[in-house]
Amino acid sequence: MSDTKSGDDKTLSVTPKKTLTLKRPGLEQGTVRQNFSHGRTKSVVVETKKRKFSLPGDKPEPVAASVFTPKPAAAPVAAAPVVQEAPKAPPPPPERSGMVLNELSRGEMEARRKALEGSKAREAEDRQRAQEDAKRRAEEEERRKRERDESARRQAEEEARLQTEAEARRRAEEEARRRAPLAAEVATADDEEEAKPRRTGAGAASAPPRRLATPEVARPAKPTKGEEDRRRGKLTLNSALSDDDARARSLSSMRRRQEKFKRALHNEPREKVMREVILPETITIQELAQRMSERAVDVVKFFMKQGQILKPGDVIDADTAELVASEFGHTVRRVAESDIEEGLFNIADRPEDLVSRPPVVTIMGHVDHGKTSLLDAIRNANVVSGEAGGITQHIGAYQIEKNGQKITFIDTPGHAAFTAMRARGAQVTDIAVLVVAADDSVMPQTIESINHAKAAGVPIIVAINKIDKRDADPQKVRTELLRHEVFVESMGGEVLDVEVSATKGINLDKLLEAILLQSEVLDLKANPDRTAEGAVIEAQLDKGRGPVATVLVQTGTLMPGDIIVAGNEWGRVRALVNDRGEHVPEAPPAMPVEVLGLQGTPQAGDRFAVVNNEARAREITEYRQRLARDKAVAKHAGQRGSLEQMMSQLQTSGLKEFPLVIKGDVQGSIEAINAALEKLGNDEVRARIVHAGAGGITESDVSLAETSGAAIIGFNVRANAQARAAAAAAGIEIRYYSIIYNLVDDVKAALSGMLSPERRETFIGNAEILEIFDISKVGKIAGCRVTEGKVERGAGVRLIRDNVVIHEGTLKTLKRFKDEVAEVPGGQECGMAFQNYEDMRVGDVIECFRVEMVTRTL
């Protein structure tokens, strides 16, 4: 209840309990969604203003409509809260309150009665309307069913008629073909001319069914339908809200079905489109099917016929993909990722563009035979003093001038550990100068140098050095060179030989003249007006200048600002520095220079070339770096496989062998590696060379390694793509080396790992048993005196009786008086007890010792 004041009078009105709201009093808001064409909708806000009522004797005031027009469902329930809430309001005067309450009760009851009667009438109308709707839907469903049955019957009749007509046409054509030869034999030429219209007429007789059948198939005869029937299969708002879930086929579905039936009737196969399929090195079956415009399931079926169960996402190689594409009738064009390097090297030059260039000479020979000293004398510079211990550690490139002609020299290390550097020096050279000391004659590394020069296909000039020494014998050198197929001119051969002395400067001019003479015979030419190509002689990371690469330009002209790609690195040339430390504006062919500006340090022996832009340089280097990463992953996997193989071999007793397949760049390198590995090993382990040969690593080498369980070592060679794939599949380890010392060290470490560890025992002390104590709940305790060394609790112990070892084990307790101690020094007494052993006697000796497992090395 609530009080409503009107002047001095108080009127009691009954209102339902309201919640706090910000809406204006007397207004109700709601939204109505309007529907427009093409599926557009719009929400509109609608306000409903409430009616105002006034009680008799009071001024008109707004009263909630719910008081006078309650909802039918809430009418019986709303009476109870009114009585319960009455005490909450302040009590009005008794005489006025009773009169108003009676009037309100009569009015309210009358309103509720009218509302109840209206509600019952509406419910009756709703029930009648629902029955009519259900009857109408049943009639509609029955009508649709009859139409569907009629349509199916007509379609079956149409199909039967078309089939009959097709059979009649086929019989007519067969009859015409049967009669044609007979008519050709009897009729003359004129009769044939007259027979043509007859045959045409016969064909025309069968033509009308064909002309009538074609539109009939494309557009079957159906009764005319209205707009409602045409759109019956489409989803509309009315159909979605209705209970009728039956939906007919759409117009597009019916059209596709008719076209399919037409193709099947006339046996019209789809025209096969032959395509040119571009195949990379690897491709998925799904991608291959898309490039062939075939279904992936058809390609999978083809593999199933071949006995392979594959999925569309599986990756196949280019050879398999080419076979599949050929079977499906397509042409194939193979491409590889390495195609990005096409046109980078070995660009053909026109003969008229070639001009003479200086020769590139490599100084080769045995260690300490005076190679660098000879080059030092030629350059009039002190190079040897800059090398550690007087031994050349890196390849140095220098250029001198003689009689107006330039000569480029490359100094290679002569020590056995630098065989790879010497091999790279022979690959970029034009002439090899073999330095042989007259007192030492031919040495092992001299033979290797000869093999390198022969493998590179370069002519040799023999420089017999140290002829100023008393025990020099140049003739002995010439004689020993004959055994290695080096025939000098004085012995009837074609190889030039010069007797020189680097320290005295004897006959250096003759050596240079011999080099120039040999270069004239070779007729060395290059094109300086093209992009530069060459080889990286040496590369290092300088703290102040960054990556610095010493390169030898073999063709073209290298200038600052050029973008070069060297191995896995690229960069823009910032500066060119010659062998004297001077900046030069350009580097013509056969000139060695230091290049500054690379992004990283390339490998010695990498080839470099100038490219047009940075984009291509990045693309090439990213491809090469990706190959290097894949190679490292394959090497990791191969290493794991080889270790497993070695562990299985460790189970066998006797001599353990480490099988190896060695491939090198030249035969001299193979011989040096074999000699170094034969020196490794002992009676327990050794390296066994299954196969050694010159050349790259091939798939046959991988098969041999898989059969013999060997690891593959590549010295200055690499495996081709097929060999890498086979090695990754078989888990074979492939290791690449360019320094012989690193190769020997790794093999030595692997052999050392195969050695079983050595058990080394260290004596600690002795103790003599003086008394045996039998203690309950503890057992026997030996009272001892340490006679030698000391006794430790964690060490191993032996019980010795009459110089015979009775028991070996560990101590359970070591006590000094009543305290547990870690050790007892010599001369003191203690109590000791063995672990799980109690057969001790007075006079026995307890020996204490420590055991260590020492790793063995070769």
Side-chain angles (χ1 to χ4, degrees), residues 364 418-427 429 432 445-458 460 665-670 672 715-716:
M364 306 178 76
F418 303 104
T419 305
M421 289 189 180
R422 193 163 59 251
R424 284 196 295 270
Q427 290 169 0
T429 188
Q445 288 159 19
T446 308
I447 301 172
E448 292 181 14
S449 301
I450 294 173
N451 293 331
H452 285 312
K454 288 183 177 180
V458 297
I460 298 175
D665 51 350
V666 292
Q667 195 61 35
S669 304
I670 301 299
F715 188 78
N716 280 347

Side-chain angles (χ1 to χ4, degrees), residues 769-773 780-784 830-834 840 846:
I769 298 179
L770 302 179
E771 189 66 38
I772 301 296
F773 304 97
K780 290 184 179 182
I781 300 294
C784 310
C830 61
M832 290 188 288
F834 284 90
M840 297 175 290
I846 298 176

Side-chain angles (χ1 to χ4, degrees), residues 196-211:
K196 287 183 181 179
R198 286 198 299 270
R199 286 195 298 270
T200 306
S206 60
R210 186 181 299 110
R211 286 196 301 268

Side-chain angles (χ1 to χ4, degrees), residues 381-576:
N382 188 8
V383 179
V384 177
S385 60
E387 298 290 352
I391 300 177
T392 305
Q393 300 292 322
H394 301 285
I395 296 178
Y398 318 97
Q399 195 171 50
I400 66 167
E401 189 169 346
K402 172 67 176 177
N403 298 332
Q405 294 179 305
K406 293 182 178 180
I407 303 175
T408 299
F409 284 95
I410 297 178
D411 182 22
T412 62
H415 197 274
F418 303 104
T419 305
M421 289 189 180
R422 193 163 59 251
R424 284 196 295 270
Q427 290 169 0
V428 299
T429 188
D430 301 318
I431 302 171
V433 174
L434 183 64
V435 179
V436 185
D439 53 350
D440 288 343
S441 189
V442 177
M443 300 296 286
Q445 288 159 19
T446 308
I447 301 172
E448 292 181 14
S449 301
I450 294 173
N451 293 331
H452 285 312
K454 288 183 177 180
V458 297
I460 298 175
I461 297 177
V462 179
I464 304 176
N465 196 17
K466 301 182 181 181
I467 61 172
D468 56 320
K469 289 193 174 183
R470 289 180 297 176
D471 53 351
D473 190 357
Q475 192 62 31
K476 179 183 177 183
V477 174
R478 297 187 180 96
T479 304
E480 291 189 359
L481 287 175
L482 292 176
R483 293 188 294 178
H484 302 286
E485 299 181 356
V486 178
F487 306 103
V488 298
E489 282 187 338
S490 58
M491 305 291 288
E494 298 180 354
V495 177
L496 300 176
D497 66 304
V498 183
E499 298 180 4
V500 297
S501 173
T503 56
K504 303 294 184 181
I506 301 174
N507 292 337
L508 297 182
D509 293 340
K510 289 185 179 180
L511 178 61
L512 296 179
E513 290 173 359
I515 293 172
L516 293 176
L517 177 62
Q518 186 68 53
S519 66
E520 290 179 2
V521 173
L522 295 176
D523 191 19
L524 303 172
K525 292 184 177 182
N527 180 12
D529 300 327
R530 50 158 290 184
T531 57
E533 290 182 21
V536 178
I537 303 299
E538 179 187 348
Q540 61 182 353
L541 186 61
D542 191 280
K543 290 184 179 179
R545 299 184 295 173
V548 179
T550 302
V551 302
L552 178 67
V553 182
Q554 294 174 311
T555 183
T557 302
L558 185 63
M559 303 184 196
D562 288 345
I563 300 173
I564 66 172
V565 175
N568 296 343
E569 306 295 340
W570 72 278
R572 186 181 293 273
V573 179
R574 290 194 287 110
L576 299 175

Side-chain angles (χ1 to χ4, degrees), residues 3 54 65 143 155 168 203 231 415 427 436 457 509 588 634 638 679 723 773:
D3 275 342
S54 59
R143 185 177 59 82
Q155 186 172 358
R231 300 180 57 87
H415 197 274
Q427 290 169 0
V436 185
D509 293 340
K679 299 176 183 179
F773 304 97

Side-chain angles (χ1 to χ4, degrees), residues 591-635:
M591 180 177 181
V593 290
E594 286 185 342
V595 174
L596 280 68
L598 291 173
Q599 301 290 330
T601 305
Q603 299 294 323
D606 288 341
R607 298 181 66 185
F608 81 88
V610 175
V611 296
N612 299 329
N613 49 48
E614 294 184 3
R616 189 174 182 214
R618 288 195 188 93
E619 200 172 3
I620 295 173
T621 53
E622 287 174 0
Y623 162 70
R624 293 179 174 177
Q625 289 169 2
R626 185 165 59 253
L627 287 184
R629 285 194 299 269
D630 295 343
K631 191 181 302 178
V633 171
K635 184 189 298 184

Side-chain angles (χ1 to χ4, degrees), residues 688-711:
R688 178 170 62 91
I689 299 176
V690 179
H691 171 68
I697 301 172
T698 61
E699 197 170 358
S700 60
D701 298 326
V702 177
S703 301
L704 177 61
E706 183 180 4
T707 305
S708 59

